Amino acid sequence: MQLGMIGLGRMGGNIVRRLLAGGHTAVVFDQNPEAVAALVAEGATGAASLEEFVRTLDAPRTAWVMLPAGEITEGTVVKLGGLMAADDVIIDGGNSFYKDDIRRAAELRPKGVHYVDVGTSGGVWGLERGYCMMIGGDTDTVTRLDPIFETLAPGIGTIPRTPGREGRDARAEAGYIHAGPSGAGHFVKMVHNGIEYGLMQAYAEGFDILKHSNSTDLPEGQRFDLNIGDIAEVWRRGSVVSSWLLDLTAGALAGDENLTNFSGFVADSGEGRWTLNAAIEESVPANVLSAALYARFRSREDASYADKLLSAMRKGFGGHQEPK
């Protein structure tokens, strides 16, 4: 199946590579000609402009936008919508606000252009591991695109199957779901990222307590000189707190237990705020998630060991670099 990709950064480029490896074809466009040339060398077809990109795609066209959420994505979707025809599909795979998805789908509908929002998780490891996807859009369009999603998804792999799921949608076990109509995919991904904030904060605070267990504020007989890297490693193996985030934490600590290359500045990319706004609208208490977001705000003022660990985890799963 053919897919067009706009935006060839950490995620977009590797999504194309995974599709090419799975036997699909791709047309690619990016403001950086070097990024386009790199994928052309790997088998994709390049385009030098958005207009050429649309002309090169076979009808009905499918164009995946993988750009930073906000004005850049908005402008691209608007321009792309003006160039595309009935039965074409625009996919937004970034971290857009779900209410924007609902609006865009409604704006494109009179022209017959379908809009699909794909909450995409997998970070820089997605090329190898596959991408967990939460998809919003009309059923017929999502079904039509299933070969793309099936190739990008991790598949069942070695994860034990969940008892009692017999007869239910098998796509969830393969690592992707059709969550509902336009907006539902990014809504689920938004909450996913809010939870991610809380999980990361819990690990960071716990390891901060371990790190300071030999503090001179403690009585001498109650101090411990703990090997933080070994604790992260042992928790990975059989502990109830094991997870991929802990795997990344152990890797970061094995390289440098003091995390000297991290300043501790932890950005928030918007999803945490949106999750809390949704919680307020629904009158749902979200104590942990709100505390985790506020901790990120605080990290911009004075960095602790916990903040450095948060930065290390973000770099580990998403390749996020700290601001200079």
Side-chain angles (χ1 to χ4, degrees):
M1 191 171 183
Q2 185 192 65
L3 178 79
M5 178 63 73
I6 301 170
L8 306 176
R10 291 190 304 262
M11 296 280 281
N14 280 347
I15 285 174
V16 172
R17 292 182 177 94
R18 188 169 174 90
L19 289 174
L20 293 174
H24 299 276
T25 60
V27 179
V28 298
F29 171 66
D30 193 280
Q31 294 293 339
N32 179 3
E34 294 180 0
V36 174
L39 279 164
V40 168
E42 297 178 43
T45 300
S49 68
L50 205 56
E51 292 79 4
E52 182 185 355
F53 170 84
V54 172
R55 288 196 305 269
T56 305
L57 286 168
D58 300 330
R61 305 168 185 86
T62 301
W64 185 309
V65 179
M66 202 65 174
L67 296 169
E71 293 181 5
I72 296 175
T73 292
E74 181 70 24
T76 302
V77 170
V78 169
K79 187 173 181 180
L80 193 57
L83 296 170
M84 298 183 86
D87 214 28
D88 289 348
V89 182
I90 297 175
I91 300 171
D92 179 5
N95 283 324
S96 290
F97 184 42
Y98 74 97
K99 291 184 181 180
D100 290 335
D101 295 314
I102 296 170
R103 172 181 51 79
R104 291 173 191 156
E107 291 170 350
L108 291 166
R109 196 171 294 122
K111 191 176 180 180
V113 176
H114 305 286
Y115 182 89
V116 175
D117 52 290
V118 180
T120 311
S121 182
V124 295
W125 297 88
L127 175 59
E128 175 186 348
R129 293 166 57 106
Y131 298 90
C132 172
M133 292 168 291
M134 297 134 270
I135 305 161
D138 68 87
T139 299
D140 289 344
T141 303
V142 172
T143 300
R144 184 173 103 194
L145 298 175
D146 192 73
I148 294 291
F149 300 135
E150 183 180 21
T151 299
L152 291 176
I156 292 178
T158 59
I159 297 175
R161 305 190 75 163
T162 302
R165 280 199 56 87
E166 295 78 12
R168 303 186 66 175
D169 192 338
R171 291 176 294 183
E173 287 187 310
Y176 66 110
I177 59 168
H178 180 201
S182 296
H186 276 148
F187 183 84
V188 175
K189 178 59 162 50
M190 174 190 76
V191 178
H192 163 284
N193 284 20
I195 292 171
E196 179 185 289
Y197 279 33
L199 291 172
M200 292 172 67
Q201 189 65 32
Y203 281 127
E205 291 178 8
F207 278 100
D208 206 5
I209 295 168
L210 294 171
K211 181 69 174 176
H212 289 86
S213 63
N214 62 349
S215 169
T216 54
D217 293 335
L218 296 169
E220 188 170 349
Q222 297 178 21
R223 300 175 196 168
F224 303 106
D225 186 13
L226 299 173
N227 187 312
I228 308 301
D230 282 357
I231 293 171
E233 186 63 32
V234 76
W235 283 356
R236 291 181 60 212
R237 304 179 183 279
S239 163
V240 296
V241 299
S242 60
S243 71
W244 186 34
L245 284 173
L246 187 58
D247 294 344
L248 297 172
T249 299
L253 293 173
D256 176 12
E257 190 170 302
N258 291 316
L259 304 173
T260 51
N261 292 325
F262 294 94
S263 70
F265 183 106
V266 186
D268 73 286
S269 51
E271 299 93 327
R273 302 183 192 214
W274 300 339
T275 302
L276 292 183
N277 287 338
I280 292 168
E281 291 174 355
E282 298 168 7
S283 300
V284 173
N287 307 57
V288 172
L289 305 192
S290 60
L293 177 62
Y294 295 145
R296 293 197 174 196
F297 295 164
R298 188 204 52 75
S299 77
R300 300 165 197 179
E301 299 173 5
D302 57 330
S304 66
Y305 186 77
D307 296 328
K308 292 182 178 182
L309 200 62
L310 285 170
S311 291
M313 281 187 271
R314 292 183 82 244
K315 183 178 180 182
F317 69 76
H320 301 283
Q321 301 295 326
E322 295 177 322
K324 300 295 184 183

